[in-house]
Amino acid sequence: MDGVLIDSEPIHARLVSEVAGRYGMTISEREALQFVGIANRDMWRSICGSAGRAEQAEEILAEHEALTRDYFSAADLAPIPGIPELLDAFKHRGFALGVASSSESALIRSILRGLGLGEYFSALVGGDQVDWGKPDPEIYLRALELLGGTAAESAAVDDSTAGIRAALAAGLRCVGFSNKVDDHGDSPPQLRVEGFDEESRRSILDFVVS
């Protein structure tokens, strides 16, 4: 969801930096972007552990998630250009669609409502619903289970290195969206797109149905 359906990664980075500052920790937005695709609980465990504040990780996580929910519930949200058309194309062809996001499930539902995209998805899995976050494949395997599909007949679209690793580990074919935040490092997807214009949407559809 974050970084694919909505250009939210810079917003998340700003909120992480703000919450860290409330607890006397200095995390720049650039540093926060290193955690793109990683579940919030794992991010704060890492940040707090490095800062010698491991005992505060759960408290800070709760404050961060409350701030994030408040921000997105009040914001005027818009999908990344071309996403509604891509979802329409998949729906027209009878594909079952799901969201497998490191964000918490309540936030996923709130953002999808704000974007007006909730009707497209028959399965939602958030980072709070799995034991292991991306790059572990659990979140994608859980989404496949809810959708009633197999990895061999399914594909993922993800913008983060952690997400691409998770999708590939789950046996999915993967489209990587290069959103300028994460260049996917040493985990290249089978197809890479830099947007969702008509040509890119056609490439994605051809890749998925091949």
Side-chain angles (χ1 to χ4, degrees), residues 17-98:
S17 181
E18 178 180 336
V19 172
R22 294 179 182 181
Y23 287 84
M25 298 181 288
T26 301
I27 303 293
S28 70
E29 293 180 24
R30 184 181 182 87
E31 290 170 326
L33 286 172
Q34 297 175 7
F35 293 96
V36 166
I38 304 297
N40 287 336
R41 66 172 184 271
D42 296 329
M43 174 186 67
W44 285 114
R45 285 170 183 168
S46 176
I47 292 173
C48 291
S50 297
R53 296 171 176 264
E55 73 284 354
Q56 290 184 288
E58 292 301 318
E59 174 189 350
I60 297 173
L61 168 65
E63 181 166 344
H64 172 223
E65 293 193 333
L67 179 66
T68 303
R69 286 193 298 270
D70 289 345
Y71 176 90
F72 282 102
S73 64
D76 184 15
L77 306 182
I80 287 178
I83 279 294
E85 292 84 355
L86 179 62
L87 296 176
D88 277 334
F90 278 126
K91 184 177 181 180
H92 179 71
R93 288 164 176 77
F95 282 91
L97 302 177

Side-chain angles (χ1 to χ4, degrees), residues 176-197:
F177 173 40
S178 298
N179 60 5
K180 314 307 181 192
V181 172
D182 189 335
D183 64 5
H184 307 153
D186 58 356
S187 298
Q190 290 102 335
L191 174 68
R192 191 190 306 271
V193 297
E194 296 188 356
F196 298 103
D197 57 19

Side-chain angles (χ1 to χ4, degrees), residues 86 191 193 195-206:
L86 179 62
L191 174 68
V193 297
F196 298 103
D197 57 19
E198 185 175 356
E199 182 178 353
S200 296
R201 295 196 302 269
R202 188 180 307 113
S203 295
I204 293 170
L205 287 167
D206 289 345

